[in-house]
Amino acid sequence: MSCKGKARETFGSRFAVIMAMAGSAIGLGNIWRFPYVVGEYGGAAFILVYVLCTFLLALPIFLSESIIGRRSGSNTFGAMEKLAPGTSWKWMGLLTVISPVVILSYYSVVGGWSVEYLFKSLAFEFTNTPADNVPRLFGTFITSSWEPLFMLGLFLMMVAGIVLAGVKSGIERFSKITMPVLFLLIVVMLVYSVTLPGSSEGVAYLLKPDFSKLSASAVAAAMGQAFFSLSLGVGTILTYSSYVRKDENLLVSGVGTGISDLLFALLAGFAVMPAVFACGVEPGAGPGLVFQTLPFIFNKMGAGAPLVSSLVAIVFFVTILVAALTSAISMMEVGVAYLVENRGFSRLTAVASIFCFALVVGALCSLSFGTLSDVKIFGNTIFDALDKLCSNFLMTFGGLLFTLFVGWKMKKADVEDELTNGGSLHHKSVFRVVYFLIRYVAPIAIIAIFITNLFL
Ligand code: TRP
C-alpha cells in the first residue's frame, strides 16, 4: 500500500476539506475547555476577545501552515526539505512530526475514557447508581490499571482503522459523515439543556459581559484556547493542507474551519453550562466537567425520566467520542505521512508503528493516574507533564516557527502565489492584510503569550 510512485491523495471537494479540518479542530478543547474558560474570564467580553484572537492570530498561523503544506505537497519534514533545502528548518519539520504523536498519546487516554463512558451510559449506569456515588465512578475507573488501558487500546484501534483506510476513503469519508451529525447532536443537547428549569443562570454565566475580568491573563487564555482549538503549531493543518487541491481557495477553507470551530465551541457552551446550573453544581473545567459533573447531572435528571436522561447521556458521549476521534486521526496522519513519504514505510507499517508508540506512551500516561502517580517529572505526573510540554511549549513554538517561515523565509511572491492561486483569486488587498498578520502580528502575539505564561 506504499504511496511511493503513486500520485498523492487529495481531498475530493471544498466541503471535504472543511469537514476534515473542522474534524481536527473540533474536539475536547471545544467541549470541556471552552465553556469553562468563557465563564471564568468574563463571559461575553471574553467571547469577543476570543473571536478577535481566532481571526487575527489563529487564522494567520492556520494559513501559514496551509501555505507550507499545499505549496510543498508534503508532510511537515518533507515540506521543510522541499521549501528550504539544506537548511536547519528540517529539524523544525521533524519536531512537528514528533509533537502531534506525543499529543496523540495522551489525548487517546481521554479518548479511551469517552469509550468507557459511552459503555457506561449504554448500560444505564448513571441513572442506576445512587447520585452521590456517580462522580466517584470516575476516580475508581481512572485509577484502576487494566480497564483504562483496554479502552485506550480500543480508541487507538478505531483511530488506526480510519487512518489506515487512507486520506479519501478513511479520513475524508469519516469526517464528511460524522461532522454534520456532530453539529446536529450538539444542537439537540442545547435545546434540551436550555429548556431545563433553572438553566437561565448558565446562559447568563456565558453571556454576561464582565469587562473587569479582561486582564492580560484573560487575553493570553483566549490566545491559548484559540491555538489548541484550531490544532495549530504541530503540523496537523500543514499535513491536511498538503492534501488540498491546487484550485481550492486556502483562505476560504481556513475561514470556514475557523467559523465551524467557533460555532461548535459556542454551541457546546450553551449545551453544557445551562444544564450544569440547572442542577445547581459548580462549573469546572477539564475531565471533572465531562466525566464527573455531567454524569451527576444525568443522574439528577434521571430521577424523573430515566430513559430520556440515559438517551441524552448516550448522545453526549457519542459526541465526545466522535469529536475526539476526528481530532486524533489528524494527529496520527502527521506521523504516518512522514513515515510513508520520507522513510519508505508502507501505510500499514506506518500506522502500526505509531499505534504501538502511542499505546506505550499513552499507557504510561494512563497509569500516571493510579499505579504510577508517584512518578513526577518537574513536579507533574507523566500525563500532566506531557500536556504542559505540548500545550505551553511545543505548540506555541511550532506556531511561531511556521509564521516566521512563511513571513520571513519564503519569498513574498511565492506566498502570494499560493494564497491567491497564482493571482487568480480576487483578494490582492486581502493578501496584504493577511501577509501583515502573518509577518508581524502573529509572531509578536505568540511571543507575548509565551512571556505572559512564563510569568503567570
Ligand atoms: N483541536 C483539538 C481539540 O480542540 C485538539 C487537537 C487536534 C490538537 N489536533 C491537534 C491540538 C494538534 C493541538 C495540536 O480538541
Side-chain angles (χ1 to χ4, degrees):
M1 281 181 75
S2 167
C3 279
K4 271 186 159 177
K6 269 198 274 170
R8 223 159 167 276
E9 282 193 276
T10 53
F11 289 123
S13 61
R14 171 173 296 172
F15 180 70
V17 172
I18 297 180
M19 287 305 108
M21 288 185 172
S24 170
I26 294 169
L28 299 167
N30 302 57
I31 302 172
W32 82 12
R33 227 167 146 248
F34 182 78
Y36 171 76
V37 181
V38 169
E40 181 80 336
Y41 287 108
F46 179 85
I47 293 180
L48 210 69
V49 176
Y50 182 72
V51 172
L52 288 177
C53 283
T54 299
F55 290 102
L56 296 181
L57 166 77
L59 194 63
I61 303 168
F62 191 102
L63 291 173
S64 302
E65 289 200 33
S66 296
I67 289 166
I68 301 173
R70 194 178 62 173
R71 184 102 193 143
S72 64
S74 205
N75 64 81
T76 56
F77 184 75
M80 292 300 148
E81 277 197 329
K82 268 194 197 164
L83 300 180
T87 64
S88 32
W89 282 99
K90 68 165 179 272
W91 299 117
M92 108 129 227
L94 196 60
L95 173 73
T96 50
V97 169
I98 296 165
S99 23
V101 181
V102 174
I103 301 179
L104 173 68
S105 308
Y106 68 82
Y107 201 86
S108 298
V109 172
V110 185
W113 297 349
S114 56
V115 179
E116 164 78 15
Y117 269 64
L118 178 57
F119 286 148
K120 280 195 190 325
S121 52
L122 284 168
F124 296 94
E125 231 183 284
F126 306 131
T127 38
N128 289 341
T129 309
D132 290 341
N133 291 345
V134 169
R136 270 181 236 140
L137 292 173
F138 184 58
T140 313
F141 168 63
I142 60 168
T143 50
S144 64
S145 309
W146 291 108
E147 242 179 302
L149 293 188
F150 181 72
M151 295 300 161
L152 165 72
L154 215 57
F155 179 81
L156 274 170
M157 259 151 60
M158 292 186 240
V159 177
I162 301 165
V163 175
L164 185 62
V167 174
K168 233 188 172 115
S169 5
I171 299 173
E172 171 174 330
R173 186 141 46 122
F174 187 73
S175 313
K176 268 192 340 201
I177 298 170
T178 55
M179 293 314 290
V181 175
L182 216 55
F183 271 89
L184 200 72
L185 294 182
I186 202 86
V187 170
V188 169
M189 278 183 305
L190 185 148
V191 171
Y192 178 75
S193 180
V194 296
T195 49
L196 291 171
S199 61
S200 55
E201 241 185 281
V203 177
Y205 178 80
L206 293 172
L207 283 186
K208 211 168 32 195
D210 183 352
F211 287 94
S212 68
K213 285 188 184 160
L214 278 189
S215 54
S217 60
V219 178
M223 292 190 197
Q225 174 65 21
F227 230 101
F228 187 84
S229 196
L230 276 173
S231 312
L232 298 175
V234 300
T236 40
I237 297 306
L238 191 161
T239 306
Y240 271 14
S241 301
S242 73
Y243 303 127
V244 172
R245 284 202 313 239
K246 288 289 182 193
D247 58 357
E248 174 58 42
N249 186 333
L250 289 180
L251 189 63
V252 170
S253 50
V255 171
T257 307
I259 292 177
S260 312
D261 186 57
L262 195 61
L263 186 65
F264 195 90
L266 290 171
L267 292 174
F270 287 104
V272 170
M273 282 306 165
V276 170
F277 278 84
C279 283
V281 279
E282 275 291 301
L289 176 66
V290 169
F291 297 105
Q292 290 176 300
T293 310
L294 289 173
F296 179 72
I297 288 169
F298 296 136
N299 178 288
K300 286 258 183 159
M301 297 182 320
L307 194 63
V308 177
S309 157
S310 298
L311 274 178
V312 176
I314 293 167
V315 167
F316 183 74
F317 286 108
V318 168
T319 308
I320 296 262
L321 175 60
V322 171
L325 271 176
T326 48
S327 295
I329 57 180
S330 75
M331 301 173 198
M332 185 178 269
E333 179 61 25
V334 179
V336 169
Y338 163 71
L339 291 177
V340 169
E341 290 164 7
N342 284 72
R343 291 281 165 261
F345 283 48
S346 70
R347 201 163 172 93
L348 179 64
T349 27
V351 169
S353 313
I354 293 181
F355 173 87
C356 292
F357 177 90
L359 190 62
V360 172
V361 179
L364 293 175
C365 293
S366 179
L367 290 171
S368 76
F369 289 96
T371 324
L372 298 180
S373 61
D374 290 336
V375 179
K376 294 279 160 74
I377 305 171
F378 295 115
N380 295 294
T381 62
I382 304 174
F383 184 100
D384 287 342
L386 287 185
D387 179 31
K388 282 191 181 152
L389 174 73
C390 293
S391 308
N392 297 347
F393 185 67
L394 296 181
M395 287 175 54
T396 25
F397 188 57
L400 179 64
L401 290 177
F402 285 134
T403 52
L404 291 179
F405 187 82
V406 173
W408 299 88
K409 171 78 189 160
M410 280 178 77
K411 286 202 201 82
K412 186 178 176 186
D414 290 346
V415 177
E416 180 163 5
D417 182 60
E418 199 55 44
L419 202 67
T420 62
N421 292 358
S424 65
L425 300 175
H426 310 290
H427 47 64
K428 285 243 172 199
S429 55
V430 177
F431 171 74
R432 267 181 234 125
V433 176
V434 171
Y435 195 64
F436 179 77
L437 292 175
I438 291 178
R439 204 166 144 91
Y440 300 103
V441 178
I444 293 173
I446 297 170
I447 293 171
I449 311 182
F450 219 76
I451 295 174
T452 314
N453 286 340
L454 219 59
F455 288 106
L456 289 178

